[in-house]
Amino acid sequence: MSKLTYFALYALQHRGQESAGIAVSDGSRIVVYKDMGLVAQVFDESVLNTLRGHIAVGHCRYSTTGSPTWENAQPTFRSTDAGGLALTHNGNLINTPELAARLDASVLTATTDTEVLTALLAEHGDPLAAAREILPATRGAYSLVFMDENVLYAARDPEGIRPLVLGSLEDHRGWVVASETAALDIVGARFVREVEPGELLAIDGDGVRSERFAEARPKGCLFEYVYLARPDTTIAGRSVQATRVEVGRRLAREHPVEADMVIPTPESGTPAAIGYAEASGIPYGQGLVKNTYVGRTFIQPSQTIRQRGIRLKLNPLREAIEGKRLVVVDDSIVRGNTQRAIVQMLRDAGAAEVHVRISSPPVAWPCFYGIDFATRAELIAGHLSVEEIRDSIGADSLGYISLDELISASHIAKDKLCRACFDGVYPIEVDEAARGKHLLEVTPT
Ligand code: SF4
């Protein structure tokens, strides 16, 4: 079971690169192994061989509440009156201080929203009874998979902000719950259905039992389509790749330009660049080579690492781009550092013109539901107009897809989507006091 979990985590590495961990139960005890680093750095054959059991949960972390430290890595684990509880969480809670106030602070050994939730759930001996009581009071984004020694549980917040899917192995002899369908494919599981917003599952040898802890109020994250999810994942029955190509076509119609070649910022700009080329009739080509072994740049925590990361990650193909008028398609502009470096790299390599096209609207508002977009001041579109951003990144022209076109390409109704980072309309209100990545971390005075 730990190897299956390892490969599922490997498939989901793009969702978090700071730490990784697996908890496994053999029916009598839970063993947790976690460490800082990528999945392949944390686990090797000998470690996996020691993690024996028939139930497992795994996690690769990207920090949104609490620093990227070993203590904050997941799965979290707590002893309960009945045994143990191990939990993994995709998302970010927005009432962490309120939940933490229910606990004696001395019981917390980490500084994450996930630690608070685990401690609350572990106060009961029975995780199901605890989940029925605690989840209705838990606000924000949470796709959870947790377990005691004998049962695997899964739950998704009533808004269903982050994805969570159920799959079956060997004709229902085994079950898998994962953030994306791509993870099911890789472990040979068949997609059964999405875990519903507000749904709680309990899975054991008798199969899957489902109940509701809240009414569904779907507000799926629109940014999953733009950047977060793998292109080979499907959301609401539609492939993310198909959506991204369609966004590219619409982008070409909204922001046409005369040019010689369309190139993507690899890999996340690739599907939209294909769509842009298709709709515009401008040839598609490769102009930038990506070192795929370097992590995604905005996901890494410090500004210094990010700036260095851009140079490590991309290199221009001089022969392909020299003298050409280029359309460079990227998925989003967050702080603007990546695009500024890319435009400069392409000009240095001889590009005649660089026109930047973005397959999302300007990211102008922070996300409190599981993406570390930080503060408005750090978002370039939070304080600059499109023309000012164009000037800042040094492009000849800049065009973003409109929000309406992006929503239309997702095939999901606007009122069923969270798009707060684009329009500032937050589906779950966030108190000022509950904001901030380090709210459970006391700074010594
Ligand atoms: S604010 Fe943006 S990134 Fe965050 S959940 Fe909403 S759409 Fe997704």
Side-chain angles (χ1 to χ4, degrees):
M1 187 51 68
S2 58
K3 277 202 180 148
L4 212 64
T5 310
Y6 170 86
F7 285 113
L9 289 184
Y10 200 75
L12 296 175
Q13 182 73 81
H14 61 287
R15 298 195 74 95
Q17 296 150 3
E18 294 167 2
S19 58
I22 292 175
V24 63
S25 169
D26 59 5
S28 59
R29 67 176 188 140
I30 295 173
V31 176
V32 184
Y33 188 94
K34 62 183 186 181
D35 211 340
M36 303 306 292
L38 300 172
V39 177
Q41 292 170 319
V42 171
F43 295 99
D44 61 23
E45 194 88 34
S46 63
V47 169
L48 291 172
N49 285 339
T50 64
L51 297 171
R52 295 180 179 281
H54 63 287
I55 310 177
V57 297
H59 192 263
C60 37
R61 180 167 190 249
Y62 152 56
S63 52
T64 51
T65 296
S67 300
T69 60
W70 187 90
E71 289 74 15
N72 287 344
Q74 297 183 35
T76 46
F77 176 82
R78 311 289 296 193
S79 293
T80 70
D81 290 344
L85 178 82
L87 181 142
T88 59
H89 169 205
N90 177 16
N92 193 59
L93 306 186
I94 57 152
N95 65 336
T96 303
E98 184 190 318
L99 294 173
R102 293 178 173 213
L103 291 161
D104 171 358
S106 65
V107 306
L108 299 175
T109 55
T111 56
T112 64
D113 49 349
T114 313
E115 166 77 0
V116 170
L117 189 55
T118 313
L120 284 169
L121 291 172
E123 278 189 336
H124 292 249
D126 174 7
L128 201 55
R132 285 178 189 137
E133 186 194 322
I134 302 299
L135 295 184
T138 305
R139 292 172 61 233
Y142 51 97
S143 286
L144 305 174
V145 184
F146 51 109
M147 64 187 227
D148 58 19
E149 286 75 4
N150 297 298
V151 185
L152 183 75
Y153 305 92
R156 195 170 173 207
D157 60 79
E159 285 76 16
I161 290 182
R162 298 279 148 238
L164 195 65
V165 293
L166 174 70
S168 96
L169 284 163
E170 298 169 24
D171 288 333
H172 299 186
R173 279 200 284 273
W175 298 93
V176 182
V177 181
S179 285
E180 294 188 32
T181 62
L184 303 182
D185 298 339
I186 274 125
V187 300
R190 191 177 55 80
F191 172 74
V192 175
R193 64 177 176 87
E194 296 194 5
V195 177
E196 295 289 319
E199 187 180 19
L200 173 62
L201 300 179
I203 306 171
D204 58 18
D206 296 331
V208 180
R209 295 178 299 285
S210 161
E211 62 181 74
R212 292 213 145 268
F213 64 89
E215 280 307 305
R217 305 182 287 266
K219 294 284 180 192
C221 168
L222 185 56
F223 209 67
E224 292 279 345
Y225 294 92
V226 171
Y227 175 83
L228 279 176
R230 281 174 58 135
D232 51 342
T233 275
T234 60
I235 304 178
R238 186 147 191 265
S239 111
V240 170
Q241 170 82 3
T243 302
R244 289 180 186 165
V245 172
E246 177 58 22
V247 171
R249 289 190 201 107
R250 290 169 187 244
L251 185 56
R253 290 193 281 271
E254 277 198 319
H255 297 286
V257 65
E258 278 199 21
D260 304 309
M261 186 161 80
V262 178
I263 66 166
T265 298
E267 305 296 332
S268 47
T270 303
I274 292 169
Y276 194 101
E278 209 181 287
S280 65
I282 302 168
Y284 172 89
Q286 290 292 340
L288 292 162
V289 173
K290 183 185 177 186
N291 177 348
T292 43
Y293 299 97
V294 178
R296 297 178 144 200
T297 49
F298 93 75
I299 238 163
Q300 292 174 4
S302 83
Q303 184 75 2
T304 334
I305 294 174
R306 257 192 300 269
Q307 272 165 350
R308 234 184 281 129
I310 293 159
R311 286 286 175 185
L312 287 170
K313 185 173 138 181
L314 293 169
N315 207 24
L317 273 171
R318 182 174 285 275
E319 315 79 77
I321 62 183
E322 207 158 24
K324 294 214 172 82
R325 297 170 299 169
L326 301 175
V327 179
V328 187
V329 182
D330 208 342
D331 59 277
S332 55
I333 301 182
V334 177
R335 294 166 178 85
N337 300 325
T338 308
Q339 289 71 24
R340 194 174 302 112
I342 289 171
V343 171
Q344 192 56 53
M345 258 193 291
L346 293 170
R347 290 201 194 284
D348 291 348
E353 291 173 17
V354 182
H355 301 275
V356 176
R357 295 294 178 269
I358 303 295
S359 63
S360 65
V363 176
W365 302 86
C367 173
F368 303 109
Y369 315 130
I371 313 256
D372 188 17
F373 278 160
T375 62
R376 265 206 105 181
E378 285 178 85
L379 298 170
I380 194 165
H383 52 98
L384 296 186
S385 67
V386 173
E387 175 53 23
E388 287 167 334
I389 297 170
R390 183 207 60 73
D391 188 51
S392 166
I393 65 173
D396 290 290
S397 73
L398 170 64
Y400 290 88
I401 187 97
S402 64
L403 184 56
D404 284 347
E405 286 294 327
L406 174 62
I407 290 170
S408 165
S410 78
H411 290 198
I412 307 277
K414 184 174 183 177
D415 65 352
K416 301 262 188 304
L417 287 166
C418 173
R419 66 255 170 205
C421 51
F422 305 123
D423 65 6
V425 179
Y426 289 92
I428 322 168
E429 211 181 304
V430 188
D431 294 343
E432 195 70 43
R435 297 180 184 188
K437 181 171 177 175
H438 305 290
L439 51 86
L440 295 178
E441 289 165 0
V442 182
T443 316
T445 49

